[in-house]
Amino acid sequence: MRFLLSVIFASLLTTAQAQLLQPKAAYTRADSLRGYQSALRTCYDLNYYHLDVQVDPARKALRGSNEFRFTATQDFSRLQFDLFANLKVEKVEYQNKPLPFTREANAVFVTFPAVIQKGSQAAFTVFYSGQPTEAKQAPWDGGLVYAQDAKGKPWVASACQGVGASIWWPCKDQQVDEVDSMLISVTVPKGLKDISNGRLRRTTALKGGATRYDWFVGNPINNYDVALNVGDFVHFGDEYQGEQGRLTLDYWVLPENLAKAKTQFAANVKPMLKSLESWFGPYPFYKDGYKLIDAPHLGMEHQSAVAYGNKYLNGYLGRDRSGTGWGGKWDFIIIHESGHEWFGNSLTSQDIADMWIHESFTTYSEALFVESQFGKEAAQQYIHGQRRNIQNDAPIIGTYGVNREGSSDMYDKGSNVLNLIRTAYVPDDAKWRELLRGLNRQFFHQTITTEQVIGYFNQQIGQDLTPVFNQYLRHPGLPVLEVRFPKEGPAQARWIANEAGFSLPVRLRAKGGNYQLVPVSTKFQTFPVPNLTRENMEVDTQNYYIGVLAE
C-alpha cells in the first residue's frame, strides 16, 4: 500500500503585495523597452541624479528636471531613458545645447552630437512636465496619491514599485544599475513640506511663499524607492544605538496623528532594529538615517524614508495575517517595510522577475522578529500560519526582460521555503544567523540575481540546493512524497517532483519517538525509522514545509 504526502497549502490570497501581480498573457515591444537591458541602457553607468521637481497639488501636476551624470561603459552616441508617455519631455540638454530625441511607448531615445568614449564621464538633463498617473489603490497600482489631511490641506505621496519610477520622473527605469548618489529637490506650495529620502541639506524660501526642500541620498538607491511626501507634517525624533553606532530616527506625521505616532513608533521601531540587525547585520543606511512618514496609502519600503499607512494599529490594518495571534502583537507595516531596507533596498534584484529576493526574505523577517520577541516556537507557529495565504498558482520567479514578476507566493511561500532550508539544512541557530548576516555582507548595496543567492547558500551549506530552490521558485506545482509500506520490510519513500535531481530530507518519526531527518530523493529508498507504520507515522508539519497525508 502506498500514500502520497503532498505539500499543500490553503489558497487565501495575501493582500500584502506589490504592484503588477496579475498574470499577463502576451508581451509587447513596450514591455521589452521597459524591461530589457539593451545596449542603449547598458552603455552608460549611472553616477548621480539631481531630480528637481515642483509639485502643484491643486492641478495634480509636476514640472521639473532630472540631471543624469554617468560613465560610459562602451563607445556610444545614442541611449535610452524612460518617462511615461502621458508626461511631456520639454527638452533634453547636453553641454547647454538641446539634444534631439524620439519617443516610443514610455521610452525616450537621445542622440549625442559625437561619440561618447568608453570610460568618459558626461551628463545630460531632461526637462519635463505634466500630470502623472494618479494611483487609485496604492501601493498595488502606481503613480501619485492625492489626499487631504484633517484640515483639508493637500497630502501627496509617490508609490511606484513594479510599474516603475518613470511614471512620475525621468530615469533609467530598471533595477540593475542603481545611481550611486542623488539630490532630490522638491518645491511645494506655502504651508506644506516635502519629506524625501536621505538627509535634508537645506530649505529655501521662494517667491510666492513656496519652499524648496533639498534631500541628499549618500547611498546607492533604486528608482522605485525615490519618494516624495508632501503635506503639513510635524516632526519628532529619536536615536538608536545600533551595531554601527548612532542611528538617527526621524518621524514625520500629520498633526492629528502625533500622539498615536509617538506611542506606536516607540513600541515598534527600536525592537525591530535590534531584531533585524541581529539577524541580518547592521542597518544598511546609517549615512542616510531612518525615517517613518505618514502616507495616504498602506505603506512602501522607500529607502531611509519608509512610507507608513497602517493607521497606528498592530497587525495588518488591525488583523493578524497569520491567524495565529502572534501577528497581532506588533505593527506589520513597520516591521515588514523596514525589513526591506536589507532585502530590496540594500540587496536589490537586477530584474523584477527575481523580486522574490525582496519579498521572500522580508516576509521571513516577520517571523524572525517574532522569534526575537516571543521565542522560536512562536515564530514557527507564525510561519505555519503564513501558509494559509499561499496559492501555488504560478512560479515565484517571473519573466525576465519584460518587467514582470512572478506569483504573489513570493511572500508567504517564499518565507516557508527559507524556513524549510533552515530546518532541513542549518538547524543550528547561530549558524543560520551567520548565514543571513553573511548574505548581507557579501552583497551589501549590490544588485543581484537568483543564481547568486542560490550559489551563496550552496557555498555556505556545502550542498547543491539548486534543485530545491528551483522546485519551489520555478514551478507552481509542489513536490509530493510517495510512501510505500510493504507487507514485509521497512517503509520506503521517494519524492515526485518537477525538478530533475530534486532531493530533500524529511523530518518524521514513529509516534511517541524522536523526530529524525531522513534523506529522500526521487528514487525509492528505505526509511530508516524503526517500527514505522502507516498508522504511527508522524511528519513534522509545524516546523517543516509539509502539509497533509492522503491516499
Side-chain angles (χ1 to χ4, degrees):
M1 184 176 292
R2 67 185 178 91
F3 300 87
L4 299 182
L5 187 61
S6 180
V7 190
I8 296 175
F9 299 93
S11 59
L12 176 64
L13 175 63
T14 176
T15 54
Q17 300 167 0
Q19 295 133 18
L20 300 181
L21 290 177
Q22 299 302 315
K24 188 164 184 174
Y27 297 104
T28 65
R29 174 166 167 76
D31 294 319
S32 295
L33 288 171
R34 173 70 177 85
Y36 181 62
Q37 297 306 310
S38 72
L40 297 178
R41 281 176 152 175
T42 60
C43 64
Y44 68 111
D45 175 49
L46 292 168
N47 304 136
Y48 175 82
Y49 281 140
H50 179 197
L51 175 62
D52 186 357
V53 62
Q54 180 177 344
V55 182
D56 185 346
R59 293 182 54 245
K60 297 183 177 180
L62 300 177
R63 174 178 292 277
S65 64
N66 189 32
E67 178 187 12
F68 294 63
R69 298 183 192 173
F70 64 87
T71 300
T73 61
Q74 61 188 63
D75 293 352
F76 73 92
S77 59
R78 191 167 180 258
L79 61 72
Q80 174 188 335
F81 69 87
D82 305 280
L83 184 67
F84 268 50
N86 62 303
L87 297 174
K88 181 181 180 181
V89 177
E90 302 282 357
K91 60 180 177 178
V92 182
E93 282 191 352
Y94 170 66
Q95 298 180 343
N96 298 316
K97 294 180 180 179
L99 278 180
F101 65 88
T102 59
R103 305 196 71 171
E104 182 181 356
N106 297 324
V108 185
F109 305 92
V110 295
T111 303
F112 293 85
V115 172
I116 307 293
Q117 300 292 326
K118 179 180 179 180
S120 64
Q121 295 183 328
F124 64 95
T125 303
V126 180
F127 297 83
Y128 77 110
S129 63
Q131 293 178 306
T133 301
E134 182 176 356
K136 301 296 185 182
Q137 293 182 312
W140 299 282
D141 63 352
L144 294 189
V145 184
Y146 298 93
Q148 293 182 338
D149 65 16
K151 295 181 179 179
K153 290 188 175 183
W155 185 19
V156 184
S158 59
C160 59
Q161 184 186 16
V163 65
S166 57
I167 200 169
W168 70 276
W169 62 283
C171 56
K172 188 205 286 193
D173 205 356
Q174 40 73 81
Q175 292 181 181
V176 66
D177 182 14
E178 292 187 344
V179 71
D180 299 328
S181 63
M182 182 173 184
L183 180 63
I184 305 169
S185 300
V186 180
T187 299
V188 297
K190 183 178 181 179
L192 300 176
K193 301 179 180 70
D194 171 69
I195 314 302
S196 290
N197 317 78
R199 301 283 186 184
L200 182 63
R201 276 193 165 177
R202 68 183 66 87
T203 60
T204 306
L206 305 175
K207 292 181 179 180
T211 305
R212 186 179 71 215
Y213 292 82
D214 293 320
W215 296 87
F216 182 73
V217 181
N219 291 286
I221 186 170
N222 65 56
N223 293 316
Y224 75 79
D225 271 341
V226 175
L228 60 80
N229 297 274
V230 176
D232 182 23
F233 298 111
V234 294
H235 171 264
F236 67 100
D238 200 349
E239 62 180 48
Y240 175 72
Q241 292 299 322
E243 292 193 10
Q244 290 189 343
R246 176 178 173 268
L247 173 64
T248 57
L249 310 177
D250 289 284
Y251 306 126
W252 297 88
V253 301
L254 298 181
E256 60 263 30
N257 293 331
L258 181 59
K260 292 182 290 186
K262 287 183 175 180
T263 299
Q264 191 74 351
F265 294 173
N268 285 271
V269 172
K270 288 184 180 179
M272 173 275 298
L273 287 168
K274 182 178 181 180
S275 171
L276 298 191
E277 280 205 328
S278 72
W279 285 110
F280 298 149
Y283 173 75
F285 305 105
Y286 273 77
K287 184 186 296 186
D288 290 330
Y290 173 88
K291 293 192 288 293
L292 281 177
I293 306 163
D294 249 342
H297 58 82
L298 181 62
M300 268 297 298
E301 64 260 28
H302 298 143
Q303 182 175 307
S304 75
V306 174
Y308 176 82
N310 202 39
K311 301 186 184 300
Y312 302 95
L313 299 170
N314 282 345
Y316 178 94
L317 293 174
R319 70 178 180 87
D320 176 8
R321 288 184 65 254
S322 75
T324 64
W326 296 113
K329 297 180 181 295
W330 41 274
D331 191 311
F332 176 90
I333 290 299
I334 292 177
I335 277 61
H336 180 93
E337 302 304 343
S338 299
H340 277 303
E341 295 280 43
W342 285 264
F343 292 98
N345 299 350
S346 179
L347 278 64
T348 306
S349 65
Q350 292 186 3
D351 192 299
I352 198 173
D354 283 338
M355 202 167 81
W356 76 274
I357 297 171
H358 302 195
E359 300 301 347
S360 297
F361 283 94
T362 300
T363 304
Y364 181 59
S365 76
E366 302 162 21
L368 294 177
F369 176 76
V370 171
E371 185 167 337
S372 297
Q373 300 301 108
F374 309 108
K376 190 170 183 179
E377 183 178 350
Q380 293 301 315
Q381 290 172 8
Y382 181 81
I383 293 171
H384 191 269
Q386 288 177 334
R387 299 179 192 179
R388 69 186 196 144
N389 302 318
I390 298 172
Q391 296 191 105
N392 299 311
D393 60 339
I396 286 175
I397 291 178
T399 306
Y400 293 100
V402 291
N403 195 55
R404 201 69 183 177
E405 73 268 27
S407 166
S408 62
D409 279 351
M410 72 178 79
Y411 293 82
D412 297 284
K413 184 175 179 179
S415 173
N416 272 267
V417 169
L418 293 172
N419 189 60
L420 164 66
I421 299 297
R422 177 184 185 179
T423 304
Y425 297 104
V426 196
D428 182 275
D429 293 344
K431 290 182 179 179
W432 181 245
R433 187 186 305 270
E434 180 53 34
L435 186 149
L436 296 176
R437 290 175 66 95
L439 179 66
N440 279 274
R441 282 195 304 270
Q442 181 156 328
F443 298 114
F444 183 74
H445 287 184
Q446 295 181 38
T447 62
I448 58 176
T449 65
T450 289
E451 287 72 23
Q452 286 176 288
V453 174
I454 296 174
Y456 171 83
F457 272 82
N458 289 346
Q459 181 185 47
Q460 296 301 311
I461 294 173
Q463 296 187 53
D464 184 8
L465 303 186
T466 305
V468 177
F469 277 104
N470 284 347
Q471 175 64 45
Y472 291 106
L473 298 177
R474 301 183 187 277
H475 303 280
L478 294 166
V480 175
L481 183 67
E482 184 179 6
V483 183
R484 296 193 306 198
F485 291 93
K487 291 182 179 180
E488 296 182 2
Q492 299 175 331
R494 69 171 180 178
W495 283 108
I496 302 172
N498 304 97
E499 191 69 22
F502 180 82
S503 64
L504 180 68
V506 177
R507 194 166 185 262
L508 81 164
R509 67 181 179 183
K511 188 174 182 178
N514 295 321
Y515 278 111
Q516 298 183 43
L517 205 58
V518 179
V520 181
S521 69
T522 54
K523 297 181 179 179
F524 275 113
Q525 57 201 87
T526 298
F527 260 168
V529 179
N531 304 315
L532 188 69
T533 67
R534 170 193 171 186
E535 290 74 21
N536 71 12
M537 185 176 73
E538 292 184 343
V539 177
D540 181 2
T541 60
Q542 182 67 35
N543 303 298
Y544 209 71
Y545 192 60
I546 292 178
V548 298
L549 181 65
E551 288 194 32

